[in-house]
Amino acid sequence: MKSFVYTANPTRVIFGPGASSQLPRELSRQGLRAALILSTPYQVEDADRIKNLLGSEAVGVFSEAAMHTPIEVTEKALEVTRGLKADSIVSIGGGSTTGLGKALSIRTGLPHISIPTSYAGSEMTPHLGETAKGVKTTRSDSKILPATVIYDVDLTLTLPQTLSATSGVNAIAHAVEALYAPDTNPVIALFAKEGVRALASSLPIIGNDAKDRAARSQALYGAWLCGTCLGNTTMSLHHKLCHTLGGSFNLPHAETHTILLPHTLAYNSPVVPEVMRGLAEVLVDAEGDAINGLNGLLDRLGVKRALKDYGLKEEDIDKAAAIAVNNQYANPREVKQDKIRELIRRAWAGEPARADL
């Protein structure tokens, strides 16, 4: 066995049906009495429900969280946080709300309790991606990690099936990159394979029956594991491309991850044969080929496969490729602009991924 270093992140996890009802007890455990609740404009109802649950221990709701954590939204939320004299942050929602919670927490030092309602997994990472003037940058700091994460399957039952699919594949992407990260280790590999298995088996069931509680629980469990993988390893080509396309071209986060994942795995496949074999074992109907497995999963989920469907223009492909290779980063295969351009073109056109780049 190779030598490795493994550091466990100190997040407290509360998992189970109705788990969000334990929030008042969790605030009391930490000696907190003035929580600011965060949401997107589309989840105000969820935020209000949490506010009612907390009663006098909630000082207000900020419901303007947005994709890619724009700096201007963070600055506005920061003024509200200070004006209300909040002593803690409670985020309820997907990656957008979690990102805002992280941005506020790292700036103020206030503890952040995250209640995820999707499968993005960012609540388990010390990473924060922020967008300023059309450029998305990522930083990592252990202080960015939420202090507590509450996984309540009941809050995911109304997650639309299409968003369930794309946020779930987004989580799978975290695990896939963790398997070939330069700082991976056997513990994370176990988490990654189990997370992929849980999501790949449960997401198609959710696609047929959004109220299937067993499948929803399995998917939330998988998302937790996959998010933990991302929180413990270095991001590579896949996340770099997603941040480029999201931050510079305002493409939706989960959908971009979903479209790109088979292509980025195919790009790296020639140099990570062990990873490819491991993924093929946990992907449904992969038939020994992980790329087949991912292509097939996206087909079963019925998600859109083309970046052009989300607004990327053909003339943007060259610019996206140039931005993506501007700063070299950890990736098992050398990143070359001409090949990345072709990868993006295939994803733009909606072609199935194939390992011939």
Side-chain angles (χ1 to χ4, degrees), residues 55-67:
S56 62
E57 293 180 347
V59 294
V61 171
F62 182 86
S63 59
E64 299 178 36
M67 280 195 312

Side-chain angles (χ1 to χ4, degrees), residues 6 34 49 51 58 94 101 104 122 127 139-140 150 162 179 189 195 205 217 221 247 258 301 329 332 342:
Y6 172 67
R49 186 161 53 246
K51 181 182 179 183
L104 292 178
S122 60
H127 309 310
R139 57 172 164 157
S140 298
I150 299 177
T162 299
L179 284 170
I205 298 173
S217 293
Y221 161 70
T258 298
L301 295 178
Y329 39 89
E342 174 59 12

Side-chain angles (χ1 to χ4, degrees), residues 152-212:
D152 185 345
V153 66
D154 295 343
L155 298 178
T156 67
L157 294 176
T158 57
L159 185 67
Q161 286 161 302
T162 299
L163 185 54
S164 297
T166 55
S167 70
V169 178
N170 181 8
I172 289 174
H174 303 333
V176 169
E177 288 229 305
L179 284 170
Y180 55 65
D183 49 358
T184 192
N185 60 71
V187 177
I188 289 301
L190 288 172
F191 284 5
K193 292 175 186 177
E194 174 67 0
V196 172
R197 183 203 61 77
L199 282 159
S201 61
S202 60
L203 291 177
I205 298 173
I206 293 168
N208 292 323
D209 181 5
K211 300 295 184 181
D212 189 308

Side-chain angles (χ1 to χ4, degrees), residues 23-40:
L23 178 60
R25 187 187 315 166
E26 183 62 19
L27 287 173
S28 177
R29 188 186 72 85
Q30 297 186 40
L32 304 171
R33 296 181 178 82
L36 175 65
I37 302 154
L38 307 178
S39 76
T40 64

Side-chain angles (χ1 to χ4, degrees), residues 234-253:
T234 302
M235 289 182 283
S236 299
L237 173 63
H238 176 80
H239 283 83
K240 176 68 174 182
L241 285 179
C242 289
H243 289 171
T244 295
L245 292 166
S248 299
F249 302 95
N250 201 36
L251 298 192
H253 184 81

